[in-house]
Amino acid sequence: MATTSTMHPSAGPVLGSRSFFARLRDGDEIARLITFLFAATVVLITLLIVFELWQGSVLPRHKFGFNFFRTSTWDPNFDQFGALPFIFGTLVTSTVALLIAVPLGIGAAIFLAELAPARLSDALEFFIDLLAAVPSVIYGVLGIFIVVPIMRDVIQPALKSTLGFLPLFQGPAFGIGMLTAGLVLSIMVIPYIISVSREVLLSVPRDQREAALALGATRWESTWKVVVPFARTGIMGSIFLALARALGETMAVTMVIGNTPKIAASLFSPGDSIASVIANQFTEATGDLYTQSLIELGLVLFLLTFILNGLARLLIVLTSQRGASHA
Amino acid sequence: MTIKMNAQLRWRKFVSNFMLTMTGVCALISVSVLFFILGYLVYHGGASINWDFFTKLPAPVGESGGGMANAILGSAKLLLLATLIGVPIGFFGAVYLAEFSGSTVAFVVRYAADLLNGVPSIVIGIFAYAVAVHPFGHFSTYAGGFALGIMMIPITLRSTEEFLLGVPRSLREGAMALGASKWRTIATVIVPAAYRGILTAILLAFARVAGETAPLLFTALGNRYWSNGFNEPTASLPVMVYNYAISPFDDWHRQAWAAGLVLLGLILVINIIARAVLARGIAIPRS
């Protein structure tokens, strides 16, 4: 029996011409089917998430419709659910985060990609990767015990005495609030901006730099006026990626934002974000409408991050293709 | 004329040096954050870690002392479940993408995985609640492990696929030329050739979910006692850190620092091991 295959040379593997049954016998079709089922599970889970979020938020969608996004009363006792304060809080904290993180992150990425010797750049990138691995709740702990006291006693009074004429920096300095949440968020998203921007900057073809330097540009001019514009779509991608992270970030924000659903002009005032209200109220929500309103907030968050991540990936791919086609 | 040129040139050089120095400062600030975090955790947490922390249950509210033994075991159970769910789906899915699939199916699966990777962890928590808590009427370790497992899938899948695709064509063709069937080629040549990369991918996915808190809040919930089996709510280190940090008690704050230090130490060590495993093997394929 063992010699059967030598007696029939046609049964041996002839590339490209093996029949379905031959492949089935070899186990290839079974392996394909099994691995396919696992791959299909990934798609299935993703679809199921969308379905569950949509299905789980039927009640508030029917009852409030678009008013869910336009009203700012969040009162579970009277079944009034308006998401505006949370959307406001999410947008404000994310904006503050980007205002701090974008200049710092891009500056650091320029240093890593353009200035630092390869070995130093790789070593620093290693630390940046570790920073990206620090869990959100740890940032929250440092936020509560270290950042909040510093904000309350040093930074907020200083801002008040210098820029206090702006409504943004008025009111009592609690330490907790939108500004602190934005600051903690910025620290959390900087690693994403640095890593992706560095990759994108490194993909800019060498001749771009050399041409600028040959024309008499200083090193900074070649970087800022030639390399960075060349990579700008990819850098925008890294910013969108960071924004998507900032919008969905839960624990650290929940721990320092103050958890008060109100809209105030001052950045010092406590607020609430979409993610933080879900984290705080989901387990104690009583009644279907309350729970489903929180799920609808989850749906909003899902859609926002979905759109931003899609845009980010598109921009990053476009830039690296441009670098590749140019070289 | 030359004097004016020189002044302009000097100014441009000054701007150049100044701005380049500033980028260095940006890099320094960003990296130093890591050392601030580590320093504070070691300073505050190191003083609070003792034997009790690893061996005792949490003390009743109001009493000082006690430990987090149940949370450590709870985290281990949750991560075991997560690995059992996330690694097979991610790994075999990646094998399908790298070795079997046509381009259309591959695009759909990759897209779904990237989408899944971008879903905020709190939304994964809502999903796990809807699927694994609500229908059964109680919080459980299963539900928490399920939520974490889902988060492991896309990370494992995307990196594993990259490492499989990074295996040189010649190895594949060599095995095929010897008459091996496709699945034999995969099992005995391709996967072994990429195993360091795959191990790294799994370790990084593990480290990523080990610190996740949000998806556990309303799936595994929490527990001040031991949790029997997998069907009861369980304590976990990240959720303990959160609950203790926002509590009003000084003694709990102390323990939150200690738990944070243990958690971060674990995660950083796994990260460093993962990178060390990779560094000794094949080069990283760049996406």
Side-chain angles (χ1 to χ4, degrees), chain B residues 270-286:
Chain B
I270 297 175
N271 262 277
I272 292 168
I273 291 176
R275 280 158 226 275
V277 165
L278 192 62
R280 298 197 301 135
I282 48 167
I284 315 170
R286 297 256 165 179

Side-chain angles (χ1 to χ4, degrees), chain A residues 26 28 199 216 220-221 306, chain B residues 12 16 23 115 182-183 286:
Chain A
D26 287 350
D28 280 2
E199 286 288 307
W220 171 253
E221 285 163 352
F306 169 60
Chain B
R12 282 171 56 205
S16 177
T23 63
L115 180 55
K182 194 156 187 179
W183 78 265
R286 297 256 165 179

Side-chain angles (χ1 to χ4, degrees), chain B residues 7-273:
Chain B
Q8 202 187 6
L9 190 62
R10 215 175 293 140
W11 170 247
R12 282 171 56 205
K13 282 197 165 155
F14 169 76
V15 169
S16 177
N17 287 334
F18 177 75
M19 292 309 283
L20 292 174
T21 313
M22 288 312 286
T23 63
V25 172
C26 288
L28 192 68
I29 293 175
S30 308
V31 171
S32 63
V33 169
L34 178 69
F35 296 98
F36 272 115
I37 293 176
L38 276 174
Y40 273 116
L41 275 171
V42 170
Y43 175 72
H44 287 282
S48 316
I49 289 189
N50 50 29
W51 192 241
D52 283 356
F53 178 84
F54 296 100
T55 54
K56 288 201 171 156
L57 281 178
V61 179
E63 283 178 35
S64 62
M68 294 196 182
N70 60 339
I72 294 170
L73 184 71
S75 269
K77 277 155 73 176
L78 286 167
L79 288 169
L80 174 74
L81 283 177
T83 310
L84 289 178
I85 295 170
V87 169
I89 299 181
F91 174 76
F92 288 110
V95 169
Y96 179 77
L97 286 189
E99 306 295 333
F100 289 110
S101 77
S103 59
T104 317
V105 181
F107 175 80
V108 173
V109 176
R110 274 185 206 123
Y111 193 82
D114 287 344
L115 180 55
L116 199 55
N117 198 19
V119 176
S121 56
I122 188 94
V123 176
I124 299 282
I126 294 181
F127 171 65
Y129 175 87
V131 176
V133 174
H134 193 62
F136 302 98
H138 64 89
F139 300 100
S140 67
T141 311
Y142 283 124
F146 175 69
L148 295 185
I150 290 178
M151 299 196 65
M152 274 183 89
I153 295 173
I155 315 172
T156 316
L157 182 127
R158 293 295 268 131
S159 338
T160 304
E161 188 206 350
E162 252 175 55
F163 287 113
L164 290 176
L165 289 175
V167 174
R169 241 186 112 76
S170 51
L171 278 180
R172 248 168 260 263
E173 285 167 353
M176 298 291 253
L178 288 174
S181 64
K182 194 156 187 179
W183 78 265
R184 272 193 89 90
T185 311
I186 295 168
T188 59
V189 176
I190 298 175
V191 170
Y195 90 92
R196 280 179 195 280
I198 296 171
L199 191 61
T200 301
I202 293 172
L203 284 173
L204 288 179
F206 185 87
R208 159 98 192 272
V209 299
E212 277 298 340
T213 315
L216 298 178
L217 288 176
F218 27 85
T219 50
L221 196 66
N223 199 334
R224 296 196 61 79
Y225 306 97
W226 295 105
S227 150
N228 295 316
F230 288 89
N231 219 3
E232 293 179 2
T234 181
S236 60
L237 270 182
V239 176
M240 284 299 248
V241 174
Y242 170 62
N243 284 333
Y244 274 36
I246 60 170
S247 78
F249 312 116
D250 280 341
D251 192 52
W252 284 20
H253 293 168
R254 204 175 51 72
Q255 295 195 34
W257 280 108
L261 177 61
V262 171
L263 188 62
L264 186 65
L266 177 80
I267 289 168
L268 291 188
V269 166
I270 297 175
N271 262 277
I272 292 168
I273 291 176

Side-chain angles (χ1 to χ4, degrees), chain A:
Chain A
M1 278 305 283
T3 54
T4 316
S5 60
T6 45
M7 286 160 70
H8 300 278
S10 62
V14 179
L15 272 176
S17 67
R18 292 155 75 229
S19 72
F20 174 79
F21 291 103
R23 281 180 286 141
L24 184 66
R25 201 186 45 213
D26 287 350
D28 280 2
E29 287 303 316
I30 297 168
R32 170 198 281 274
L33 181 70
I34 291 174
T35 55
F36 171 75
L37 288 179
F38 281 105
T41 314
V42 181
V43 182
L44 205 69
I45 289 175
T46 312
L47 291 176
L48 204 58
I49 290 177
V50 182
F51 174 78
E52 285 289 346
L53 289 174
W54 184 257
Q55 200 65 12
S57 56
V58 169
L59 281 181
R61 260 186 291 121
H62 282 200
K63 181 157 184 216
F64 304 120
F66 243 98
N67 282 331
F68 186 73
F69 306 103
R70 280 194 302 221
T71 55
S72 55
T73 317
W74 184 267
D75 191 344
N77 295 325
F78 293 95
D79 271 352
Q80 278 305 311
F81 298 103
L84 203 55
F86 310 115
I87 296 171
F88 175 80
T90 300
L91 293 181
V92 170
T93 50
S94 302
T95 311
V96 172
L98 286 188
L99 286 177
I100 301 169
V102 167
L104 258 179
I106 293 179
I110 289 176
F111 178 79
L112 291 181
E114 302 291 315
L115 271 187
R119 193 171 285 187
L120 176 65
S121 178
D122 285 346
L124 291 177
E125 175 65 28
F126 172 73
F127 290 126
I128 299 292
D129 284 349
L130 287 188
L131 201 54
V134 175
S136 169
V137 72
I138 302 279
Y139 283 103
V141 170
L142 284 145
I144 288 188
F145 296 123
I146 310 292
V147 181
V148 165
I150 294 177
M151 290 297 282
R152 185 181 54 219
D153 301 333
V154 183
I155 296 178
Q156 289 183 343
L159 280 173
K160 221 162 150 178
S161 59
T162 50
L163 297 166
F165 58 91
L166 294 170
L168 287 178
F169 303 111
Q170 287 171 0
F174 298 115
I176 54 168
M178 304 272 214
L179 186 62
T180 311
L183 178 65
V184 173
L185 268 182
S186 75
I187 300 170
M188 301 183 65
V189 299
I190 281 178
Y192 298 105
I193 298 186
I194 297 181
S195 291
V196 179
S197 295
R198 171 181 177 258
E199 286 288 307
V200 171
L201 287 171
L202 285 175
S203 78
V204 174
R206 243 188 115 73
D207 53 18
Q208 294 282 322
R209 294 178 185 89
E210 284 164 0
L213 291 174
L215 287 173
T218 62
R219 197 138 176 219
W220 171 253
E221 285 163 352
S222 111
T223 302
W224 189 247
K225 293 184 177 158
V226 177
V227 177
V228 171
F230 193 94
R232 67 175 177 275
T233 14
I235 293 176
M236 275 308 286
S238 83
I239 295 172
F240 281 1
L241 206 64
L243 180 57
R245 291 276 165 188
L247 292 177
E249 192 41 64
T250 312
M251 301 318 299
V253 173
T254 309
M255 290 163 90
V256 298
I257 199 172
N259 303 308
T260 316
K262 68 172 185 183
I263 297 177
S266 171
L267 290 175
F268 293 173
S269 82
D272 221 336
S273 78
I274 298 179
S276 72
V277 71
I278 300 174
N280 265 312
Q281 303 188 359
F282 199 83
T283 40
E284 56 204 50
T286 46
D288 285 345
L289 188 65
Y290 192 0
T291 308
Q292 295 206 2
S293 296
L294 289 169
I295 296 179
E296 182 165 1
L297 283 175
L299 181 65
V300 172
L301 203 55
F302 176 87
L303 292 176
L304 279 176
T305 49
F306 169 60
I307 294 168
L308 281 170
N309 276 317
L311 272 175
R313 205 162 311 118
L314 187 70
L315 291 175
I316 293 166
V317 167
L318 281 180
T319 314
S320 40
Q321 273 178 357
R322 192 165 159 218
S325 69
H326 194 93

